[in-house]
Amino acid sequence: MNLGQQIAQYLLSGLSTGAIYSLIGVGFAIIHNATGIINFAQGELVMLGGMFTLFFLTALNLPLLVAIILAIGATTLVGVVFERLAIRPMKNASPISLVIITIGGSILIRGIAMIVWGKDTHAIPTFSGNEPIHLGEATILPQHLWIFAVTIVVMICSKLYFNYTISGKAMRACAYNRRAAGLVGIDVRRMVLFSFAISSAMGSLAGIIIAPLTMTSYDVGIMLGLKGFCAAIIGGMSSGLGTILGGILLGILESLGAGLFSSGYKDAIAFIILLLILFVRPQGLFRKGETERV
C-alpha cells in the first residue's frame, strides 16, 4: 500500500471515529447549555449503551434491533434517574460542585458495571456483516457506513427537534437565558431533565454503533467520554455544527497521527490538541454556539 492509499485509509477511519466523538460531544454540549455544567458521567452512558445491548442479546436472546432499542431506553432511564437523584437536589450548588458530582456518578456507574458484567471485553455483532467495502483506494467495513448514517440522522433529528418543537424551542430559550425562560413560564427543571434524557440517548447510541468495531467493556467510557469532551471544547460547546466539525477534526488528526507516526500516540494526540485549544483559543476553534444555534 503506497502513501496515498494509506492516507486515504486513515482519513476514512478518522471520519468514522470523528463521527462517534461528535455524537458524544453534542451530548456534553446539550447538558452544558441547559445547566452550565460539564457532565463527566457522559462517557459511562456511552459504555452503558454497549453493555445493555450485550445484556439484552446474550441474557435475554432478543433480536439485535430490539436489544438496541431497549438499551437506548435503559441508558436514557439511567441518565434521567441520575439527574433526579444527583443533580436536581443540588440546585443551589456551585458549578464546580456539580462537576464533582458528575465525576462521582461516573465512578459509581463504572463500578456497578464492573460488578454486573465483569472486567472482560465483550463483542457485539455487526449490523450487516463483515465484508469490506472498497471506496477508491481505501476499504471500510459496513459498520462504518452505519456510523456515518446514524450520525447524520441523529444530527438532522436534533436540528428538527430544537427548531420545530415546543420543548426544543423551550430548551433553546433555557440555553440562552435560564432566568428569562423561567419568567415567561418555561419549566426550567423539566428542560434540564430533557437535556439529560437526550444526551443519554445520544451517548448510548454512540456506544452501540461503535461497539462492533472496538468491542465494549466496563471501562471503555473513560477515554470515549474524554475525547467527546475534547470535541465539544474544539466546537465551542456548540450542540450543532461546531462540535460535529470538532469531532471530525479530532478523529482525522488522531487517525493520521497514529498511522503515520505511532499508535502509541493515539490517545495523547487528543489531549495535546485540547491543551493547545485551551491555551490559544479557549472559546473553541469555531464560533461559540449555544443550543439556539443548532
Side-chain angles (χ1 to χ4, degrees):
M1 183 181 291
N2 59 42
L3 182 60
Q5 290 175 317
Q6 289 179 344
I7 291 177
Q9 187 67 57
Y10 298 149
L11 288 175
L12 208 53
S13 298
L15 284 172
S16 174
T17 306
I20 296 296
Y21 296 161
S22 297
L23 275 180
I24 301 170
V26 169
F28 272 102
I30 288 175
I31 290 181
H32 179 266
N33 288 334
T35 66
I37 67 172
I38 304 296
N39 178 25
F40 282 108
Q42 186 70 19
E44 271 51 57
L45 298 173
V46 176
M47 173 272 295
L48 286 178
M51 297 306 285
F52 273 131
T53 302
L54 177 73
F55 169 76
F56 290 125
L57 280 173
T58 57
L60 302 182
N61 294 315
L62 296 175
L64 181 60
L65 179 59
V66 176
I68 289 173
I69 294 172
L70 290 177
I72 294 173
T75 306
T76 302
L77 180 61
V78 171
V80 168
V81 170
F82 178 68
E83 190 278 336
R84 291 298 298 267
L85 298 182
I87 303 299
R88 183 171 297 190
M90 303 292 291
K91 59 181 179 180
N92 295 321
S94 64
I96 188 64
S97 298
L98 293 174
V99 168
I100 292 172
I101 288 172
T102 67
I103 294 174
S106 168
I107 296 170
L108 175 64
I109 294 172
R110 188 162 61 250
I112 294 173
M114 183 184 68
I115 293 171
V116 173
W117 289 295
K119 296 182 179 181
D120 295 334
T121 300
H122 305 278
I124 292 177
T126 56
F127 295 178
S128 53
N130 295 299
E131 187 69 26
I133 299 172
H134 296 275
L135 295 176
E137 297 183 332
T139 60
I140 59 172
L141 295 173
Q143 192 65 29
H144 288 100
L145 298 181
W146 278 101
I147 291 174
F148 294 138
V150 169
T151 301
I152 292 171
V153 169
V154 168
M155 294 308 169
I156 292 174
C157 291
S158 175
K159 183 176 180 62
L160 293 175
Y161 171 76
F162 283 113
N163 285 328
Y164 298 104
T165 67
I166 298 299
S167 60
K169 292 178 180 178
M171 197 176 296
R172 289 167 56 199
C174 291
Y176 187 75
N177 191 317
R178 294 183 68 188
R179 179 173 294 182
L183 290 174
V184 298
I186 296 174
D187 190 339
V188 177
R189 292 188 300 176
R190 180 177 296 176
M191 294 304 106
V192 171
L193 185 66
F194 282 173
S195 73
F196 270 85
I198 293 171
S199 66
S200 299
M202 282 188 174
S204 66
L205 191 55
I208 291 168
I209 60 178
I210 199 175
L213 296 176
T214 63
M215 296 194 289
T216 186
S217 66
Y218 80 99
D219 60 349
V220 297
I222 302 174
M223 199 56 66
L224 287 173
L226 289 174
K227 291 179 180 179
F229 175 63
C230 291
I233 292 295
I234 294 171
M237 274 299 170
S238 162
S239 51
L241 186 60
T243 296
I244 297 171
L245 295 176
I248 291 173
L249 176 63
L250 178 61
I252 290 175
L253 291 177
E254 182 182 280
S255 181
L256 288 173
L260 298 177
F261 298 102
S262 171
S263 59
Y265 298 132
K266 180 181 179 182
D267 294 332
I269 289 171
F271 303 115
I272 292 172
I273 294 172
L274 176 61
L275 290 174
L276 289 174
I277 296 297
L278 292 176
F279 278 123
V280 177
R281 190 176 170 85
Q283 69 270 34
L285 286 182
F286 306 101
R287 184 180 177 186
K288 186 180 186 303
E290 299 181 17
T291 310
E292 73 273 12
R293 298 198 190 102
V294 172

